Amino acid sequence: MERKAFLRGAALLTGGSLLLRLGGILFRSCVASRLGDTGMGLYQLIFSLFALAVTACTSGLGLAVTRLSAENGGSLGTLRRCLRLAGAAGLLAAAATVVLAPLLAERAIGSGLAVRPLRILACGLPFMACCACFKGWFMAEGRAGVTVAADLLEQAISVGAGLGLFAVLPPVESLMAGSTLGEVSSFTFAGLLLLRSARGRKTGRTAAMRGILRIAAPVVSGSFLRSGLNSVENLLAPQGLRRYGVSYAESLSQYGRVQGAAMPVLLFPAAVVSSLGSMLVPELAAAAARGDKAAIRRSAGRAIRFTLAFSFFITALLVAFAVPLCRLLFHSEEAGRLLRVMAPVVPLMYVDSVVDSMLKGLDQQMFAFRCNLADSLLRVAAVAVCVPLWGMAGYVGILFFSELFNASLSVYRLLRVTELEVDVTGWVVLPALAAGLLYALLRLAVGE
């Protein structure tokens, strides 16, 4: 991919992702007053369980389309084969969610109010699965704008329909219905553009099913297992808080402040580096296919340097402004204090995300699978043991340990695969010193 095209695509993805995340934060701010901390906790638990079904039918195939299309010049035959797999996976996941919704609601969440929201969400799974393949193909074609437009349309419909349905449905159900309508609209938009783009083009060489599964299976397996373990972790966290000594309502409130307020703000700037990671997948896959190791090292080094510099800068801003920001958005100083404590994990979190994308572009998805699985297993075990003993402090400590563990393994693997030399001063020391100086100046500016 030419440098200008790469930068243009990265800029589009970054701008779109920032808009999406900003819209998500403002949407949560809007509905938080309607649902309350307890309602937000229930909302997050439902989505945590639903993430299992989403992962089962969307992860892996989109990456396979991107990788194989980048290597084979945008093969429509590969896309069609992946679409058939995605459609079947989406229908199976939807059926399983509908059937198991009562059991999941009662046994896992502890509330029958979750049955209808889960079933409403299930209706969007086939559309979500196929749309992931559409987006993967457009990414390989260097048309990141289509992916951004589809995502923006999805969020606009989800937010508008969700808020509009408040008048006729219970709050949580209206939000889930809006989400499903957003998935259908995104699928329709991307599908129509694909049909237009494919008109008159040759099918091209179709990748063998074995090649598709070689890329998709480790990602699907790893993502599904990790998503499942994350769901277990998210269900154990409120239970652990209750064993620590807080009430059911307060446990949901504390969980809601973490997942519904602090984490969205923490992850909002990650849109910049996640977009960079998405663009690097086809970039590194093409370089690897050419055997251009110098280009791989150059791209990997620049990506790590930029990610760490950016993440230290964001850390300084979050530590300085966490409390007023959460007070403005969520009317919660508790969430702001929690965000301030969590902010130093940003460099680990962001660099792990980018390195994980680069590893997938370099055909290292099996390593990512093993690394993510080990991390998730450790997190579940730690939540089960530490949260009942130390409450929310234990949960935050687990977050730091998990990110350190995962990022260390991923960076080490990338360095071995690319033979990239570490620049501790340029990557870590100078950005950290600059972030410390920025924080000191901000404290002086605000008079603290």
Side-chain angles (χ1 to χ4, degrees), residues 261-263 265-267 318-319 321-323 325-326 334-344:
M263 286 302 291
V265 175
L266 196 71
L267 293 173
L318 289 178
V319 172
F321 299 115
V323 174
L325 189 59
C326 285
E334 293 87 350
R337 287 191 289 269
L338 187 61
L339 176 61
R340 175 178 286 170
V341 172
M342 295 167 63

Side-chain angles (χ1 to χ4, degrees), residues 21-38 40-41 43-44 253 255-268 318 321-340:
R21 296 187 188 214
L22 178 60
I25 290 176
L26 295 177
F27 179 58
R28 287 171 184 270
S29 175
C30 179
V31 302
S33 58
R34 181 71 179 267
L35 298 180
D37 285 339
T38 302
M40 286 298 292
Y43 174 81
Q44 290 298 139
S253 295
Y255 177 79
R257 283 194 288 270
V258 173
Q259 298 295 337
M263 286 302 291
V265 175
L266 196 71
L267 293 173
F268 169 68
L318 289 178
F321 299 115
V323 174
L325 189 59
C326 285
R327 188 190 303 127
L328 173 66
L329 293 173
F330 305 106
H331 312 289
S332 174
E333 291 195 9
E334 293 87 350
R337 287 191 289 269
L338 187 61
L339 176 61
R340 175 178 286 170

Side-chain angles (χ1 to χ4, degrees), residues 160-447:
L163 295 177
L165 290 171
F166 269 5
V168 295
L169 289 174
V172 175
E173 292 183 16
S174 68
L175 297 178
M176 304 312 182
S179 176
T180 298
L181 291 173
E183 296 294 347
V184 174
S185 65
S186 179
F187 163 83
T188 304
F189 173 78
L192 289 175
L193 283 181
L194 177 67
L195 290 175
R196 180 180 177 183
S197 300
R199 190 176 302 156
R201 286 185 57 161
K202 295 182 180 180
T203 300
R205 185 168 67 88
T206 301
M209 185 65 71
R210 187 175 182 179
I212 295 172
L213 295 178
R214 181 181 61 82
I215 296 173
V219 178
V220 172
S221 302
S223 298
F224 185 76
L225 284 173
R226 191 176 190 188
S227 181
L229 291 169
N230 284 345
S231 296
V232 172
E233 173 195 328
N234 290 331
L235 294 170
L236 286 175
Q239 294 176 13
L241 290 171
R242 292 200 297 274
R243 290 170 61 191
Y244 177 67
V246 303
S247 66
Y248 176 75
E250 178 60 21
S251 68
L252 284 181
S253 295
Q254 291 187 21
Y255 177 79
R257 283 194 288 270
V258 173
Q259 298 295 337
M263 286 302 291
V265 175
L266 196 71
L267 293 173
F268 169 68
V272 175
V273 295
S274 63
S275 300
L276 172 65
S278 297
M279 293 299 298
L280 282 170
V281 172
E283 178 82 2
L284 294 181
R290 298 192 308 268
D292 192 346
K293 293 184 178 181
I296 292 173
R297 284 194 293 270
R298 187 165 54 250
S299 296
R302 288 173 177 172
I304 292 176
R305 185 180 297 108
F306 170 79
T307 300
L308 287 172
F310 176 76
S311 59
F312 277 111
F313 170 74
I314 294 300
T315 299
L317 293 181
L318 289 178
V319 172
F321 299 115
V323 174
L325 189 59
C326 285
R327 188 190 303 127
L328 173 66
L329 293 173
F330 305 106
H331 312 289
S332 174
E333 291 195 9
E334 293 87 350
R337 287 191 289 269
L338 187 61
L339 176 61
R340 175 178 286 170
V341 172
M342 295 167 63
V345 82
V346 163
L348 292 170
M349 184 179 291
Y350 287 14
V351 79
D352 179 52
S353 172
V354 172
V355 170
D356 189 67
S357 295
M358 289 193 285
L359 288 174
K360 291 174 181 175
L362 295 170
D363 199 25
Q364 295 295 309
Q365 55 270 9
M366 277 303 298
F367 173 82
F369 162 68
R370 292 192 296 268
C371 181
N372 292 333
L373 178 60
D375 175 53
S376 296
L377 288 170
L378 287 173
R379 282 180 66 117
V380 168
V383 168
V385 173
C386 297
V387 175
L389 293 176
W390 297 296
M392 187 53 65
Y395 190 74
V396 174
I398 293 166
L399 173 66
F400 276 82
F401 169 77
S402 168
E403 293 298 337
L404 178 61
F405 173 79
N406 210 337
S408 299
L409 290 179
S410 297
V411 171
Y412 175 73
R413 182 67 172 188
L414 182 70
L415 295 177
R416 285 193 60 187
V417 170
T418 61
E419 300 176 359
L420 180 65
E421 294 184 3
V422 179
D423 180 8
V424 176
T425 302
W427 291 0
V428 180
V429 176
L430 292 179
L433 290 175
L437 177 61
L438 174 62
Y439 174 68
L441 292 175
L442 290 173
R443 284 179 62 90
L444 289 174
V446 298

